[in-house]
Amino acid sequence: MTAPTRVLVCDDQVLIRTGFATIIDAQPDLEVVGDCGDGRAAVDLARRLRPDVVVMDVRMPVLDGIEATRLLAGAGVEHPVKVLVVTTFNLDEYVYEALRAGASGFLLKDAPAAQLLNGIRTVASGAALLAPEVTRQLVGRYAARIRPVENVPGDTALTPRELEVLRLIANGLSNGEIAATLVISQETVKTYVSRLLAKLGLRDRVQAVVYAYRSGLVT
């Protein structure tokens, strides 16, 4: 049998933390290996317990969820941990920063239990939990704040078609929509996405969106 996905729950509200843990532990393929109420403890526990996924609150004492995420999954982390951010407000000002810090996706705290469980499984599988329509909202709201920076790696390694696919990802298109736009199969789109992520050293589509805007490929 496949070992269950190991989850660390981090939230400063005891009732929410306990509720999440109860829901997660009731699943045969998931296991809560620890819980805590502040970002510093989240970092320490994650480094010690090596969970597959950290369910991370944004607003926490001692060290907030954004900084904790950056320490666990940010650029340069030798053994990054997959982080699923939870937040009270849809697309609040902290969500974009959390994604930029290395989170693999986010959910609302009041999401149904099934969405939380699906989110954990999705992130654990290596996929990003950021639906195309959410990408559009996120980019639309924060694009003005994203400025090109000088230390972003160049994109010369990408082919013209890969660059095209990257721009479409950044504009919030799903694989199906990209396939229809470029008149190619979805399998071909998946191949292009995998290649460009590998060439740019990016983990998932979330990082691809941030990269595209930070590098000035999309404005």
Side-chain angles (χ1 to χ4, degrees):
M1 294 180 63
T2 303
T5 297
R6 304 171 73 253
V7 183
L8 174 65
V9 179
C10 308
D11 195 293
D12 65 335
Q13 297 183 53
V14 177
L15 287 178
I16 290 179
R17 191 165 73 237
T18 302
F20 282 177
T22 300
I23 292 168
I24 295 166
D25 257 340
Q27 304 302 305
D29 62 328
L30 303 176
E31 175 190 6
V32 175
V33 295
D35 67 84
C36 58
D38 68 75
R40 182 72 263 170
V43 172
D44 293 341
L45 276 176
R47 288 174 173 170
R48 179 163 59 87
L49 299 174
R50 304 306 303 172
D52 299 303
V53 176
V54 177
V55 175
M56 182 83 74
D57 187 18
V58 172
R59 298 174 180 135
M60 291 189 293
V62 185
L63 188 71
D64 65 38
I66 296 172
E67 287 305 316
T69 297
R70 185 172 290 112
L71 290 173
L72 292 174
V77 175
E78 186 175 359
H79 300 292
V81 179
K82 297 181 177 68
V83 177
L84 175 62
V85 170
V86 291
T87 179
T88 304
F89 303 103
N90 189 16
L91 299 178
D92 68 18
E93 62 184 284
Y94 300 104
V95 173
Y96 166 74
E97 297 298 338
L99 295 176
R100 221 177 94 187
S104 292
F106 74 92
L107 284 175
L108 297 180
K109 281 188 179 179
D110 60 358
Q115 286 189 22
L116 171 65
L117 298 172
N118 177 66
I120 292 171
R121 293 180 178 116
T122 298
V123 170
S125 73
L129 187 69
L130 194 61
E133 62 272 16
V134 175
T135 304
R136 294 188 187 100
Q137 294 178 54
L138 184 66
V139 170
R141 184 164 178 176
Y142 294 107
R145 293 175 49 196
I146 308 173
R147 296 286 183 267
V149 293
E150 293 181 358
N151 62 349
V152 171
D155 52 54
T156 53
L158 299 184
T159 66
R161 181 48 64 94
E162 289 166 348
L163 279 171
E164 196 171 12
V165 170
L166 176 58
R167 291 189 177 99
L168 292 175
I169 291 173
N171 282 320
L173 274 67
S174 66
N175 283 353
E177 291 169 330
I178 294 173
T181 299
L182 301 180
V183 195
I184 56 179
S185 70
Q186 289 196 50
E187 287 303 316
T188 300
V189 173
K190 290 179 182 178
T191 298
Y192 281 127
V193 172
S194 296
R195 285 178 182 171
L196 70 89
L197 291 178
K199 286 183 177 181
L200 297 175
L202 304 176
R203 186 178 59 238
D204 51 41
R205 295 172 77 99
V206 173
Q207 291 190 348
V209 172
V210 174
Y211 174 90
Y213 276 84
R214 291 286 285 171
S215 63
L217 291 173
V218 181
T219 58

